[in-house]
Amino acid sequence: MKQLSLALLALLLLSGCAAREQEAAPPGPPAQAVQPAEQPQEPGGEEPPEETEAERIAIPDFEMTMLDDETASLSDFQGKKVLLNFWATWCGPCVGEMPAFQRLSEEYPDELVILAVNCGEDEKTVQRFAEDNGYTFPIVLDADGTIQALCGGVTSLPTTVILDEEGYAVTARTGAADADTMYELYKTELNIQETSG
């Protein structure tokens, strides 16, 4: 059922706690792809054909303000895969995986958009962090939690949702490991193919 898949994504996005006072948790479990809806058996007891593609969950379109004061809508990025990451500068695992995003954005600019949604911090703090680390991928400001709420009430940091080219969520995860590990993991989840050239 579609409600079951929606509940799965909602539980993943709502799981855990990201209170500022708590130490960031170790990497979460492997990402959970959105599972296909369960289907009833056909009359006569035969199973229906197995679905080959997991059900995708629509993420509502939203407007965002980037760190460079540009504005965009999520729908502006349709046609590319989107890695939507919720993070904060005080979150150790969030900061630890950021080099993976820089590397992915540099190596696959035609296939992928990284949208790093900063949760609850002021623009100066985020700007200083980006400049100090040389990050050039898009950073979105969500000081009041509006985008977090629109994306299922994200409460754990980091939380990463991968959207397909049509803007549907296909994978969601909480937690992170080191940047090299996350680079390989996201590359696999995004199904990015190496190109020889």
Side-chain angles (χ1 to χ4, degrees), residues 71-118:
T71 58
S73 295
L74 186 60
S75 58
D76 294 342
F77 303 106
Q78 283 192 354
K80 291 188 177 186
K81 294 177 182 178
V82 175
L83 190 151
L84 188 63
N85 175 260
F86 294 87
W87 70 285
T89 62
W90 49 262
C91 167
C94 300
V95 171
E97 73 174 334
M98 286 269 169
F101 301 145
Q102 184 66 33
R103 187 173 169 195
L104 287 165
S105 69
E106 290 172 357
E107 293 180 7
Y108 304 101
D110 297 329
E111 296 93 350
L112 173 65
V113 173
I114 305 285
L115 295 175
V117 181
N118 180 269

Side-chain angles (χ1 to χ4, degrees), residues 87 89 95 98 124-133 135:
W87 70 285
T89 62
V95 171
M98 286 269 169
K124 284 184 179 180
T125 299
V126 180
Q127 183 71 48
R128 185 170 49 249
F129 174 82
E131 289 174 358
D132 288 350
N133 290 284
Y135 295 138

Side-chain angles (χ1 to χ4, degrees), residues 106-171:
E106 290 172 357
E107 293 180 7
Y108 304 101
D110 297 329
E111 296 93 350
L112 173 65
V113 173
I114 305 285
L115 295 175
V117 181
N118 180 269
C119 300
E121 296 183 283
D122 65 87
E123 185 175 353
K124 284 184 179 180
T125 299
V126 180
Q127 183 71 48
R128 185 170 49 249
F129 174 82
E131 289 174 358
D132 288 350
N133 290 284
Y135 295 138
T136 58
F137 53 83
I139 296 178
V140 179
L141 300 172
D142 188 29
D144 63 0
T146 299
I147 297 172
Q148 288 175 266
L150 286 171
C151 292
V154 173
T155 59
S156 290
L157 300 182
T159 290
T160 304
V161 180
I162 294 176
L163 310 179
D164 66 14
E165 292 88 345
E166 295 176 359
Y168 289 89
V170 293
T171 305

